[in-house]
Amino acid sequence: MEDRLRRLEDLEAIRALDARYTRVLDANDWDGLMDCFTPDGEFHGLDHAKGHDELRPFFAGLAAGGLTEFWHHVSNLEIDLDGDTARLRSLLWQPCVQNGEPYVAAGRYTDVVVRDGGQWRYRSRTIDFSYFVPLAQGWKPGSATRP
């Protein structure tokens, strides 16, 4: 019973980490965002950053690159828990504003989280975008714009 309870607590803590990541990213809270990653954590998306010294300016630089607003809708979170490591998969739908133009992005997160100092943190976050186009072009489910 204790093992089952511990597993449920771990699953809930991992879901909370996923929700916290979204909140702090949308709030431009870079310290809070760094707390979501292990010190050597990695992000793979349209670009790559590894470790807090690269992750902090990478995320902060999104606005400097013209991404002025973004918000996430993540669904179908799947968690494969194995001791102090878990693999996460989820779908992403992300409206955003880039250079004053609304865009819509869709894809999939594939992440690895680990227990670090008693807390769950991302070791790696990977986004594979399958769709990233100006909203004016319309949402065409099933079409892919990224290799």
Side-chain angles (χ1 to χ4, degrees):
M1 185 63 125
E2 288 179 16
D3 288 343
R4 183 179 171 127
L5 182 58
R6 188 175 315 112
R7 179 177 173 76
L8 290 173
E9 288 172 344
D10 285 341
L11 292 174
E12 185 57 32
I14 291 168
R15 287 185 189 98
L17 169 66
D18 199 58
R20 189 170 75 239
Y21 168 86
T22 299
R23 284 193 311 274
V24 298
L25 180 61
D26 289 347
N28 299 325
D29 176 3
W30 312 127
D31 289 333
L33 191 63
M34 291 308 97
D35 192 48
C36 291
F37 286 87
T38 61
D40 63 344
E42 293 186 69
F43 179 87
H44 301 266
L46 298 176
D47 206 344
H48 173 259
K50 181 173 182 175
H52 287 187
D53 290 343
E54 290 182 16
L55 287 167
R56 183 184 298 272
F58 169 76
F59 283 111
L62 292 174
L67 189 61
T68 57
E69 292 181 53
F70 52 101
W71 55 99
H72 299 71
H73 174 72
V74 177
S75 64
N76 298 345
L77 179 63
E78 300 172 11
I79 303 171
D80 293 327
L81 183 59
D82 185 13
D84 288 341
T85 301
R87 284 168 182 68
L88 285 61
R89 288 178 299 284
S90 57
L91 301 176
L92 165 73
W93 184 76
Q94 178 177 318
C96 56
V97 177
Q98 188 171 34
N99 297 321
E101 186 174 7
Y103 276 72
V104 65
R108 177 177 300 280
Y109 276 115
T110 307
D111 307 319
V112 175
V113 297
V114 297
R115 195 184 318 267
D116 177 58
Q119 300 291 317
W120 286 98
R121 292 189 170 88
Y122 293 104
R123 175 163 287 149
S124 66
R125 291 218 83 185
T126 301
I127 302 177
D128 294 310
F129 287 108
S130 57
Y131 195 83
F132 191 89
V133 297
L135 185 60
Q137 291 183 15
W139 172 250
K140 299 173 190 150
S143 63
T145 61
R146 296 275 177 200

